[in-house]
Structures are given as C-alpha cells and as structure tokens.
Amino acid sequence: MLQNLGWLTGGQLAADFAAFIFFILLSRRFGPEGIGDYAFGLAVAMIGRTVVSLGVDSFGIREVARRESEEAIDIVGRILGAQCWLLILYVVGGGVFLTAAGVSVTAFAVTGVLSIYHLGAGLVRSLFLPAFAAQRMAGPALLDSGSRVLAVVGGIGVMLLGGDRLVTVLVGFPIFGVALVVLALWQARRHLGGLHLNLSPKSVRAVAGRAWPFAAGQVVFRLHSRADVLMLSLIVGSSATGIYAAGLKFVEVSMMVVALLGLALYPRLTRLAENDDGAFDIAVATLMKGGLVACVVLGWGIFVFVPDLIPLFFGAEFQDTEWVVKLFALLVPVKGLVILGDRLMLAAGQQHQKLRFQTIATGLNVAFNGGLIPLLGVEGAIIASVVSIAVNAFLLVRYLRRYSSQSLMRRMGREISPLLVTAVLAAAIALLLGMREMWAAVAFIISFTGAMVFTGFASLMWTNITRLAKRSGSSVD
C-alpha cells in the first residue's frame, strides 16, 4: 500500500512541480495577458476533466475489484461509454459557451489545446480501474504524470527555440493527451484481456445513477476553485486575470503540503472513525486545531517572503501581484481548515453532507464574484474567495462538533485566540514604534510561537498525538 501511495504521490508532486515551473516561464514570456488566457483555458479544461472523469476513482475500483474478468470488461466498457457521452456534451456545450461569451481567438485556441489533454486525462480514469483494482498503481501514475511532464518539457523546448505564440508553446498538450489515451487503452486491454465500449442509453443511465454523488462532489469542488478565474477573465479581461492567477498559484502550491498531509492521514482516520469513537474525537480536535495553527504559520510565511519573489519569478510586469499574494495569505488558515475538514468528513462517511457544504460555498462564490468583480475587479474576486471559503470552514467545524465530546468551535476559540491576540498585539506595537514591516512580521511569529509554548498549546498537541499513536498500536519516536 505504501509503495502504491508513493507512486501516486510522487507522480503528482513531479507533475505539479513541472507545471509550476512552466507557469513561471509562461509568465515571463507572455506577461499578465498571456498568463490570463492560459489560466482561463486551464480553468475550462480542468472543469471538463472533472466532468468526464465521472468520479470513477471513488466508486469504480470497488466495482471492478469484486468482479470476474468478463464482468469487469463489461463494467469498464459501460463506464467508458458514459464518459464518451459526457465528453461529447462538454465539447459541444463548451464551444457554445466560449462563442457566446465572445472570448478572444487566443483564449479560444488555448482552451481548445488544453482541453484535448485534460479531457483525455479525465477519460483514462476508467481505463486505469483494472490496474487500481489489482493494486498496481505504478503504470497509471507514470502514464498520468509522465504525459503532463512531457507536455511541459515540450512547451519549454518550443520556447527555447524561439516560439512566440502561446498556442504554439502548448502544442505538446494535445499530442501527449492523445498518447495518454492510446497507452491507457493498451494497458486496460492487457489487464482485462479485452475491452468493449458500451454506448447504449440504458447503460449510461445505470452508470450515471451510481456515479452521480461522487461526480457531483468533484464538479462542485472544481467550480468553486475556478469560478473566480473564469468570471474575472470574462468580466475584466486577461491582464487582470493574469495578475490574480499568479498570486493564486503560490497559494495553491503552498496548500499542497496540507492536502498531502490529509491524504497521508486518511486511511488511519477512516479506521478510527469506524472502530474507535474516542480516538476519532481526539483526532478531530487535534487535526483541526493543529492544522489551523500550522496554516497560520504557513500564511505568515507567504505574507512575508513570497511578495519579494514575485518580480524575480514572474518579471516586473507582475509587480501588482505582490498585494494579491498578501491578501491571499490571509486566506490560508481557513483554506487549511476546509482541506482538513473535508478529509475528516470523508473518513466519517459524511460525503453527502460535505457535498451540501461545498454547494453552498460554491453558490456564494459565484454570487459574490458576479456582484463584486464588476465593481472592484481583482479585489472583488479575492473577497468572494475569502467569504465562500470562510463559510465552508464554519459549516465544517460546526458539523464536526458532533464527533467531539466538547464544542469544537469553542475549544478552538478558547485555545487559539490567545495565540493570535498575542501575536497581533506584538506586530501592532512594532509598527507603532516605527519598525519596518519585516520586523513586525518577526515580532508576530516569535510571539505566536512563544504563546504556543507558554499557554501549553504545543504540549497539549504533542500529548494528543502520542495518545492517538498508542491507541492505534503505533509508536511515536
């Protein structure tokens, strides 16, 4: 299991790192307007990928694993058929949307080339099911991450050869997207001994009825994370979107640490939720409180260090991104609560309730973006993100209190508020004394860390981690 997790996590990290480097290079070559078109196209393509993938990772593995070979061939064929219909509908609907929205020729073309890759990447999720069911993750991980890395390398090569058009630089994505589908088909046929595509309406309805709760959750999550970029691009324009997307990229890369922590803890959290209510109570309180404190420190690091890196990484044209990053840094603590809270909800088997919360947050995000972006531009998009994510975090914390022997929200407020008040006061005093912003930030983190030790918060966290390790039969070095 650890080896499979290593393949999947390592592949994801390698692909995400390559994508981050590629984003920086694109920014320096094409400026805010070019990166705005790229961010818009990527947002549309990623939503399509999520729709076409149909949430099969969540329900398809179990269906294939408990069937004989012939039955597994039929199941994969039916899922693939449903995905093909979704792909056709999304391409037609996406084309109508882009035409009606009146996007630029460049944005239309960029969306097209990126969509070929990402729709293919969504389609192959069903073709990977036989390998996943057999616990052979290496092949799918290498194909998925390898195709993205090679597409990025191809784009960098085109830039080195003097490519000066964004669409030309992205030409590797459709090429390796098609290659990914072809190789995934070959791998699925090898695992199953055959493959039969089933496009019948009856089969599609049956698959949709089984998959919709899982697919809906993923689509709602993707809409929530990309609505700001789409609406900013359509309402304000590509340059403003590029400034916004550059700041958002740093936060997304930073939050990968929290997401990987949740992924690593998920199997143990699931076992605790099923077998030990008392231990799960400790886990909920420890993960939410400890995660919030860790994300405060992470947000502080982004606020202090990242703005100075913006001109170095992206170029002088992105100087306005500095204040965007500082505003986004304030979002990191609540974003961390949402990531960890979602993982706890899944461990507790509350995926339907999690979907309700995501739907509420997405509706708020779209409504606030639609109302504030025409008035405030980039600032409006940031406010919409802060409000929607804060509401999502509030709903999660409030719901998770049922797994805690005491009110989780009160415990978090009682134990973490003194840390934040002490740190904010220290930073405020430093600023009033005329110190530079950097020294005020140093005063904040020293006071915050000192308060953790002085109030006993750090000792409490360590004690709870030790108790959890003992109750699950592990040891902590």
Side-chain angles (χ1 to χ4, degrees):
M1 184 179 72
L2 291 177
Q3 185 179 23
N4 287 326
L5 181 62
W7 278 110
L8 294 173
T9 304
Q12 182 69 35
L13 285 174
D16 286 343
F17 179 74
F20 181 58
I21 297 300
F22 190 53
F23 187 93
I24 292 173
L25 295 176
L26 287 176
S27 300
R28 297 191 70 88
R29 174 61 65 91
F30 298 104
E33 185 171 357
I35 210 65
D37 287 333
Y38 175 76
F40 175 81
L42 185 61
V44 175
M46 289 296 291
I47 293 172
R49 175 177 181 158
T50 306
V51 170
V52 171
S53 68
L54 199 59
V56 297
D57 290 348
S58 302
F59 79 95
I61 295 175
R62 182 174 58 186
E63 296 293 326
V64 172
R66 62 188 186 186
R67 298 292 198 277
E68 298 296 332
S69 179
E70 287 298 323
E71 291 180 297
I73 291 174
D74 178 63
I75 290 170
V76 173
R78 287 193 289 113
I79 294 174
L80 185 61
Q83 288 180 293
C84 288
W85 279 113
L86 283 174
L87 188 150
I88 293 170
L89 290 173
Y90 192 83
V91 169
V92 173
V96 172
F97 164 73
L98 293 175
T99 302
V103 301
S104 67
V105 174
T106 299
F108 199 111
V110 168
T111 303
V113 296
L114 290 174
S115 293
I116 293 173
Y117 173 82
H118 284 286
L119 291 175
L123 194 68
V124 300
R125 302 314 296 179
S126 61
L127 299 174
F128 289 158
L129 288 177
F132 285 155
Q135 293 289 299
R136 298 172 182 171
M137 311 291 190
L142 286 173
L143 286 178
D144 191 20
S145 59
S147 63
R148 188 147 62 116
V149 170
L150 289 173
V152 166
V153 170
I156 294 173
V158 172
M159 282 192 282
L160 290 175
L161 293 174
D164 57 358
R165 295 182 65 233
L166 182 57
V167 176
T168 305
V169 171
L170 300 175
V171 72
F173 283 89
I175 294 172
F176 287 103
V178 172
L180 173 62
V181 174
V182 171
L183 291 173
L185 280 167
W186 170 79
Q187 186 182 71
R189 290 179 64 87
R190 186 166 63 89
H191 277 288
L192 293 171
L195 186 62
H196 307 297
L197 182 65
N198 189 338
L199 295 170
S200 71
K202 181 179 179 181
S203 171
V204 171
R205 285 195 297 271
V207 172
R210 180 76 180 85
W212 81 263
F214 304 95
Q218 294 181 7
V219 171
V220 168
F221 169 79
R222 187 64 66 189
L223 284 172
H224 183 268
S225 64
R226 292 291 176 255
D228 47 2
V229 171
L230 290 175
M231 298 180 73
L232 194 61
S233 180
L234 294 174
I235 296 172
V236 180
S238 297
S239 294
T241 306
I243 296 295
Y244 180 85
L248 181 62
K249 176 59 70 174
F250 269 105
V251 176
E252 288 180 338
V253 170
S254 301
M255 296 311 294
M256 281 174 53
V257 177
V258 183
L260 289 173
L261 173 64
L263 178 65
L265 293 176
Y266 181 56
R268 178 169 293 183
L269 291 172
T270 302
R271 288 194 296 270
L272 292 178
E274 292 175 349
N275 304 315
D276 193 336
D277 291 341
F280 191 65
D281 172 9
I282 299 172
V284 169
T286 302
L287 191 60
M288 295 299 279
K289 292 187 294 184
L292 177 59
V293 168
C295 286
V296 168
V297 176
L298 180 60
W300 172 85
I302 294 173
F303 186 92
V304 173
F305 297 111
V306 171
D308 292 335
L309 299 176
I310 295 294
L312 177 65
F313 280 11
F314 296 140
E317 292 179 279
F318 286 85
Q319 189 170 359
D320 288 342
T321 300
E322 295 181 20
W323 64 265
V324 175
V325 169
K326 289 186 176 183
L327 290 177
F328 269 131
L330 304 177
L331 185 64
V332 169
V334 286
K335 182 65 174 175
L337 283 179
V338 170
I339 292 173
L340 297 174
D342 281 348
R343 191 58 64 179
L344 286 166
M345 293 287 282
L346 290 174
Q350 297 295 332
Q351 59 267 20
H352 291 285
Q353 192 64 46
K354 170 179 168 290
L355 174 58
R356 292 188 188 98
F357 295 158
Q358 284 183 334
T359 303
I360 292 170
T362 300
L364 286 173
N365 193 27
V366 172
F368 273 83
N369 272 307
L372 294 177
I373 287 177
L375 298 174
L376 303 175
V378 171
E379 294 95 328
I382 296 173
I383 292 172
S385 294
V386 171
V387 171
S388 61
I389 293 174
V391 168
N392 197 2
F394 171 81
L395 293 172
L396 286 168
V397 173
R398 187 170 179 271
Y399 189 85
L400 286 169
R401 69 181 180 180
R402 65 181 56 197
Y403 298 102
S404 180
S405 56
Q406 304 176 40
S407 172
L408 180 59
M409 199 168 295
R410 287 199 196 96
R411 290 166 71 179
M412 292 177 68
R414 185 173 62 246
E415 296 173 18
I416 297 176
S417 294
L419 313 183
L420 291 173
V421 169
T422 301
V424 170
L425 283 175
I429 291 171
L431 291 173
L432 288 173
L433 292 176
M435 294 183 180
R436 296 175 57 187
E437 185 180 282
M438 174 62 74
W439 289 111
V442 171
F444 177 95
I445 199 65
I446 292 176
S447 300
F448 188 79
T449 306
M452 285 175 57
V453 176
F454 182 77
T455 61
F457 182 85
S459 176
L460 177 63
M461 289 295 100
W462 179 252
T463 299
N464 285 343
I465 292 171
T466 305
R467 288 169 62 192
L468 284 172
K470 289 180 178 179
R471 291 181 75 154
S472 61
S474 302
S475 62
V476 178
D477 294 331

